[in-house]
Amino acid sequence: MSIRIRFGNVWAWADGLTPGRLEDALDQALSYPVQGAEWSLLHEAGIWDGRKHLLRRKDCRFPTGLLMHAVVTLRAIGIEPVLIDERGYPPGRRDDVPEFFVHPPGGKPWRPYQQAAIDEALLVGRGVVVAPPRAGKTLVGAAIVGTLGRKTLWVAPTNAIVDQTARVLRGQFGDEHVGVVGAGDRDTGRRFTVSTAAGAAALPKEWLADVEALMLDEFHHSSAPSIQQIARNCPRAFYRFGMTGTHFRIDGRDMEMHAIAANELVRISVGDLVRDGYLAPALIFMQSIAHKVRAKPTEARKIGVVHHAERNAAIVHWVRKLCGLGRKVVVLVEQIDHGKALSGWLPAGTEFARSGRADFTSGQIDRFNAGEVPVLVGTSILGEGVDLPRADALVFARSGKAATTVWQSIFRVLTAYPGKERAVIVDFSDEHQRLLRAWAQERRRLYASEPSFDLRDVPPLEAASYAHPSLPLS
């Protein structure tokens, strides 16, 4: 039996696949179980199988990113498909496109894994750079799109990261070649455009149709419908890249990420970067909270986190202690109200990053990085992608178990920096409430899974110790 798979930049089609066992096998391979499907009335009634199907049976169409999923499935049942590449143009540069060279900071050579990622990306034209935060992925991405020199859309998750990325690209390519969409800006007449997903989704389809290279920062977000649609609206984008430190989804939607780009161009571990001096070692304290509370799951965060007196006192204790030791402290909180409540008890000069305006938040980040702000408190706005090289202590005052959120958060303080021998991270084991305890146990397992982390449990603090810090940090 002969099966041809034609593939373009966005879609692939399996020709010669007739209804029956083969189609069922391919359909199963290109689908995944939807989290929570068991609660659906359609699933309960047997109308829906509880899976998200990425193969459209009427014409056997599926996303090009899943091409190798399909090939492996067919080979497993004894069929070698014929692949027909119908993409717009082959990998490589056109002679009429100017090249923008990117140089590592300080005139140093590229790190080996960075050079490997750049070389592989230019050779293959599609894939994901998987490396922890602080691995220099933005510069790697800039080197990739700069070498290609094509009309590029770079999508980042927040206005703050858009602003930060645009500054890096403008520093390399010049202001005249980099435009920004987001936070009130809409400058799309440049060679490179950096945008939030919401901003890119609102761009005219005619503009998106001419995009030749797509770079998706924090690629683990790419399963979102808005980013999926952006990728589909860029049919000429032969080059499709992602960058992430967490190439997985806890909701099982990994396959939708793979639909855009499945292959990993390079993977670098935390231990590798610590060993080579690019990340600081981490000392992680799990502070026990003793005073139990009764709260419904829907009120666990409010009662057990935001308004829990002992927990908040412990947060203040740790921040004061770390500041007293000369640490530059980042505090990540659950809600804006939580940050406001804590800020009044924290050291003088503490700033609370709560604005959605990129210019306001970036100003606070700049002051923190310049050493003018001792403590920076924020919600998720200080999470993934925010560059805080001088930060060497994190108080994770939030709760939750989402591995991607936790992973991205703790790396805010692991950037290697002169004088930073190790970073200190404080989390809370939250034994005082059932749901919070389960979440804290998930976070603890995540920390314990990284061999380079030094994880220590801390018993509940005596009331007097809140005012007189005495726990060692060595």
Side-chain angles (χ1 to χ4, degrees):
M1 183 177 181
S2 176
I3 293 179
R4 301 188 316 161
I5 298 181
R6 300 176 292 112
F7 61 96
N9 292 325
V10 179
W11 299 111
W13 295 264
D15 298 332
L17 195 65
T18 57
R21 183 175 67 92
L22 291 180
E23 187 181 60
D24 290 344
L26 192 57
D27 184 38
Q28 183 71 13
L30 302 182
S31 67
Y32 65 90
V34 176
Q35 195 174 76
E38 64 272 17
W39 305 107
S40 166
L41 293 177
L42 293 176
H43 183 262
E44 187 176 328
I47 299 172
W48 174 43
D49 64 357
R51 301 179 69 86
K52 175 72 176 287
H53 294 265
L54 302 184
L55 173 72
R56 191 170 72 176
R57 280 184 178 255
K58 70 177 183 179
D59 57 358
C60 292
R61 189 188 77 176
F62 58 91
T64 294
L66 301 179
L67 176 62
M68 291 312 299
H69 286 61
V71 170
V72 169
T73 300
L74 293 172
R75 285 175 177 169
I77 53 181
I79 295 175
E80 184 65 39
V82 177
L83 303 183
I84 302 174
D85 190 346
E86 296 182 347
R87 291 176 293 178
Y89 38 84
R93 297 189 59 258
R94 292 202 313 252
D95 293 337
D96 61 334
V97 175
E99 186 172 1
F100 296 82
F101 289 103
V102 174
H103 303 283
K108 299 178 181 178
W110 289 106
R111 302 171 187 174
Y113 69 87
Q114 291 175 328
Q115 188 65 63
I118 295 167
D119 292 344
E120 188 69 10
L122 296 175
L123 176 66
V124 177
R126 181 189 294 242
V128 184
V129 176
V130 184
R134 325 300 354 124
K137 293 190 294 293
T138 301
L139 272 178
V140 168
I144 294 168
V145 300
T147 302
L148 294 171
R150 299 177 183 272
K151 179 179 177 179
T152 299
L153 174 61
W154 185 307
V155 180
T158 67
N159 286 327
I161 301 177
V162 165
D163 179 70
Q164 186 171 283
T165 302
R167 282 196 277 177
V168 171
L169 297 186
R170 284 169 175 162
Q172 294 288 341
F173 306 145
D175 293 357
E176 68 275 18
H177 296 296
V178 181
V180 168
V181 176
D185 295 320
R186 188 163 177 168
D187 182 3
T188 59
R190 317 281 178 167
R191 176 75 62 177
F192 308 98
T193 301
V194 187
S195 175
T196 59
L203 292 172
K205 287 187 177 181
E206 298 78 17
W207 188 91
L208 291 169
D210 286 334
V211 169
E212 296 176 298
L214 186 62
M215 178 67 73
L216 301 177
D217 199 356
E218 307 300 350
F219 186 70
H220 50 278
H221 291 300
S222 63
S223 63
S226 59
I227 299 181
Q228 292 283 316
Q229 189 61 53
I230 291 167
R232 288 192 291 268
N233 287 344
C234 299
R236 290 192 61 205
F238 180 100
Y239 301 99
R240 293 167 185 256
F241 305 108
M243 300 187 297
T244 182
T246 48
H247 196 206
F248 59 87
R249 300 275 313 180
I250 63 170
D251 56 8
R253 296 171 63 193
D254 300 61
M255 188 169 287
E256 297 208 54
M257 292 196 306
H258 300 163
I260 297 176
N263 60 303
E264 294 183 358
L265 299 171
V266 68
R267 174 179 283 271
I268 188 76
S269 72
V270 176
D272 292 336
L273 295 183
V274 171
R275 181 198 63 218
D276 295 339
Y278 301 129
L279 287 180
L283 172 59
I284 303 179
F285 292 108
M286 289 294 291
Q287 172 68 63
S288 179
I289 302 297
H291 182 69
K292 296 188 181 298
V293 296
R294 298 183 65 181
K296 298 176 182 178
T298 54
E299 296 180 333
R301 281 187 166 101
K302 179 179 179 181
I303 296 174
V305 177
V306 177
H307 297 295
H308 194 277
E310 180 190 348
R311 197 178 191 276
N312 285 336
I315 292 169
V316 172
H317 159 80
W318 277 103
V319 174
R320 288 178 176 176
K321 177 177 178 61
L322 292 164
C323 278
L325 294 170
R327 296 270 178 174
K328 299 288 293 180
V329 185
V330 174
V331 183
L332 292 181
V333 295
E334 194 79 40
Q335 301 170 1
I336 291 176
D337 288 346
H338 193 198
K340 288 180 179 178
L342 290 171
S343 294
W345 296 93
L346 298 180
T350 295
E351 290 200 14
F352 181 38
R354 61 185 180 274
S355 172
R357 286 174 44 204
D359 57 344
F360 182 79
T361 306
S362 295
Q364 293 178 311
I365 291 171
D366 289 345
R367 290 194 295 277
F368 180 85
N369 286 333
E372 300 168 6
V373 175
V375 181
L376 192 58
V377 182
T379 57
S380 58
I381 199 168
L382 292 182
E384 62 187 10
V386 174
D387 193 14
L388 301 169
R390 291 193 60 161
D392 58 2
L394 169 70
V395 177
F396 192 80
R398 315 177 49 155
S399 62
K401 66 173 183 177
T404 51
T405 300
V406 176
W407 205 244
Q408 293 283 341
S409 297
I410 64 176
F411 277 91
R412 296 314 103 204
V413 299
L414 297 187
T415 304
Y417 192 80
K420 187 192 295 187
E421 295 184 1
R422 73 158 88 187
V424 174
I425 297 166
V426 180
D427 198 345
F428 299 87
S429 52
D430 289 338
E431 294 94 343
H432 59 291
Q433 202 277 335
R434 182 177 177 181
L435 180 61
L436 299 180
R437 180 172 64 249
W439 289 346
Q441 289 170 347
E442 287 293 324
R443 297 197 302 274
R444 193 187 191 288
R445 277 192 284 270
L446 180 65
Y447 302 145
S449 70
E450 174 47 56
S452 68
F453 290 168
D454 182 358
L455 178 61
R456 306 182 188 182
D457 293 306
V458 180
L461 300 177
E462 297 292 337
S465 71
Y466 291 129
H468 302 287
S470 59
L471 291 176
L473 287 179
S474 61

